[in-house]
Amino acid sequence: MTDDNSNKRLTRRNALRIAGAAGAASLAGCGGSDGGDGSSGDGSSGDGGDGTSGDGSSGEDSTDSGPQYGTLEVAHWWGEGDGLEAIQSVMDAFKEQHPDVPFDENLIAGGAGDNLQANIRTRVQNGNHPSTWQSWPGNNLLPFTDANLLKDIGDSVWSENSMEDAYLQGVKDAAQPAGNYVTVPLNIHRINNLFYNVEVVEDAGVDPTALETPSDLVDALATVSDAGYTGMAHQTGAPWSSFQMFATVLLGETDAETYSAIFVDGEVDANSDALESAVETTQSYLDYIPSDAGSISWTEANNQVINGEAAFLHQGDWAAGTYITNDLAYGEEWDHVTFPGTDGYYALNMDSFPYPVNNPSPEATTLWCRFVGTAEAQEIFNPKKGSIPPRTDVNTDPFNDFSKDQIADFQNSDAQPPSVAHGLAAPPAVKSSLESAISSLNSGAAPADVVSQISNAY
């Protein structure tokens, strides 16, 4: 996509392509709350408008007194807790810097982002999409870039504030799924963490720092189980926890290049042996999970780590917030290691804000995207959210010790592979089919059958 076609209107034909391709993304962890939808029936709170011209200039004019901005509608799914506080702090800082920009916060919570994604698809079809919205970057945005519905913001946004110099390559790749910049990442959550209860592993005689491969963890779980504890705190009621675990095991048993070849490029058949091995290892972990794993949430599973009933938890770094809010001492009562076999990798889950064409408030949206990409905005947002900044030049003083360690790992990482379970590595339709394969993995299907389903997803 180039600037020549970035001015295409959100035609009904392209809108239907989005509706057909962008299946609702489902996952928990760093997603939204289970609250209300925060909007009217069509999600059109505020005057986002449908625009009147193909050049994306509807809603804003310049006068002798300066630009007259259209209403900047920012839609997001952070409905409560740290996410809501974090994004509202960023919005407050933006409004303080740009008091002349009319601002409309459109909260569409619930479904861990599903409700917002469905709302966006409906509004794209109706031609009244918001100025920008919270979205996973990477291949999650391919249905939009394939339909030429996202604008190239390389010159207008990414050339500002030293952004290209301050972002690592994995993050920049996710911001340009079709080869040019169309979105701005605000935060990073890491996927390849292994958390543990210090007292439990010590009592069981297990040293997490000595685990070098995913298979080593199987032996550790067996040792923990023999000591009378649950080995791995885990839930299987929804596939995403096992999905991210399986992908992390694959990364640990192979490398970042093989991981990307499979999940980003769809080279499944050429790597079927590696995939079968990862399925077998993941299913071995499932021998040591809670007996009620199919009916509990990940937070309920994690309570077993907090209460000293379970040893390990594989989860995104948002799990650390649970330990911190329970006043557990980092490094003394709880700790973590990079998931065995993935040293040097920082598996990315991110939230970003894309720039749609035919924008109802083009100049205001440019200002917002530029601000999201600044060290200032990321320093405001990420300490509150429990995530880390994509920029490498953000002051780390406001962050807790765990996040400082994560920041150091990120900045020193050799590669930053995109999470497939969280929508960055594969487009929505593929991700949905992969989740079905993971459900089969959870149910104990033969590894070859699971791999066959993975192959059929691409």
Side-chain angles (χ1 to χ4, degrees):
M1 183 178 71
T2 67
D3 273 333
D4 290 338
N5 61 25
S6 67
N7 292 328
K8 292 182 68 174
R9 290 183 57 84
L10 292 180
T11 63
R12 181 166 180 81
R13 176 182 299 174
N14 283 339
L16 291 174
R17 291 176 67 181
I18 295 295
S26 61
L27 93 113
C30 69
S33 72
D34 293 325
D37 63 9
S39 67
S40 59
D42 64 358
S44 57
S45 59
D47 59 351
D50 61 1
T52 57
S53 68
D55 64 359
S57 60
S58 59
E60 292 177 354
D61 299 293
S62 295
T63 68
D64 292 341
S65 60
Q68 301 296 306
Y69 297 105
T71 298
L72 174 66
E73 182 188 351
V74 177
H76 69 91
W77 69 63
W78 286 302
E80 62 183 8
D82 53 6
L84 181 60
E85 179 186 1
I87 191 60
Q88 289 186 333
S89 295
V90 171
M91 291 175 174
D92 289 344
F94 175 85
K95 288 184 282 188
E96 183 175 351
Q97 288 191 17
H98 302 286
D100 51 343
V101 174
F103 197 98
D104 176 17
E105 175 189 2
N106 186 4
L107 168 60
I108 306 174
D114 281 0
N115 291 351
L116 174 60
Q117 300 305 320
N119 180 278
I120 294 299
R121 291 195 299 275
T122 298
R123 293 186 61 181
V124 165
Q125 293 180 72
N126 293 338
N128 70 335
H129 61 90
S131 307
T132 185
W133 58 87
Q134 178 188 358
S135 179
W136 300 312
N139 285 351
N140 176 64
L141 291 175
L142 282 180
F144 291 89
T145 59
D146 286 348
N148 296 324
L149 298 180
L150 295 182
K151 182 177 175 63
D152 184 335
I153 54 173
D155 291 336
S156 61
V157 175
W158 277 85
S159 65
E160 302 290 323
N161 303 309
S162 302
M163 281 179 62
E164 283 213 81
D165 294 333
Y167 280 73
L168 296 186
Q169 192 59 46
V171 182
K172 290 192 286 188
D173 289 345
Q176 43 185 338
N180 50 9
Y181 291 110
V182 295
T183 193
V184 180
L186 173 62
N187 67 326
I188 293 173
H189 282 295
R190 188 184 197 179
I191 304 304
N192 57 318
N193 308 285
L194 183 65
F195 297 98
Y196 59 91
N197 182 301
V198 172
E199 182 178 353
V200 170
V201 299
E202 288 181 349
D203 185 58
V206 170
D207 180 5
T209 65
L211 304 177
E212 297 182 354
T213 69
S215 293
D216 290 344
L217 181 54
V218 177
D219 295 335
L221 296 178
T223 301
V224 168
S225 180
D226 289 342
Y229 302 97
T230 296
M232 180 72 76
H234 192 67
Q235 69 84 23
T236 58
W240 67 271
S241 291
S242 294
F243 195 179
Q244 65 180 13
M245 178 185 287
F246 161 72
T248 304
V249 168
L250 178 75
L251 180 64
E253 291 188 342
T254 59
D255 51 42
E257 291 76 17
T258 303
Y259 175 98
S260 293
I262 294 171
F263 292 128
V264 178
D265 300 328
E267 297 177 5
V268 175
D269 295 341
N271 295 283
S272 59
D273 289 346
L275 283 161
E276 284 193 32
S277 176
V279 172
E280 291 173 358
T281 301
T282 305
Q283 288 181 330
S284 295
Y285 296 162
L286 301 185
D287 290 335
Y288 302 101
I289 63 177
S291 59
D292 59 350
S295 60
I296 60 176
S297 66
W298 81 266
T299 53
E300 291 171 320
N302 195 26
N303 284 338
Q304 295 192 20
V305 177
I306 294 170
N307 297 332
E309 302 170 44
F312 293 101
L313 173 80
H314 168 254
Q315 197 52 261
D317 57 14
W318 48 82
T322 307
Y323 306 132
I324 292 169
T325 57
N326 278 274
D327 296 323
L328 300 181
Y330 175 49
E332 298 177 14
E333 296 176 280
W334 70 279
D335 211 332
H336 87 291
V337 292
T338 303
F339 195 88
T342 67
D343 283 342
Y345 299 142
Y346 206 96
L348 300 176
N349 181 29
M350 294 183 288
D351 296 289
S352 71
F353 287 92
Y355 190 114
V357 301
N358 195 39
N359 200 293
S361 55
E363 293 183 9
T365 305
T366 297
L367 291 177
W368 170 260
C369 287
R370 287 178 180 173
F371 184 65
V372 166
T374 63
E376 176 187 356
Q378 294 180 19
E379 185 178 325
I380 292 170
F381 180 87
N382 287 286
K384 292 182 172 65
K385 181 65 177 69
S387 48
I388 71 166
R391 292 186 68 114
T392 59
D393 57 354
V394 172
N395 178 18
T396 61
D397 289 344
F399 292 84
N400 60 50
D401 289 343
F402 169 75
S403 292
K404 288 178 180 177
D405 287 346
Q406 295 282 81
I407 291 170
D409 283 354
F410 170 66
Q411 296 186 0
N412 293 314
S413 60
D414 299 320
Q416 306 86 43
S419 171
V420 62
H422 300 257
L424 276 70
V430 173
K431 175 178 172 290
S432 178
S433 295
L434 290 174
E435 287 175 339
S436 296
I438 299 303
S439 294
S440 295
L441 181 155
N442 279 337
S443 299
D449 292 339
V450 175
V451 174
S452 177
Q453 291 183 58
I454 292 173
S455 178
N456 291 336
Y458 286 90

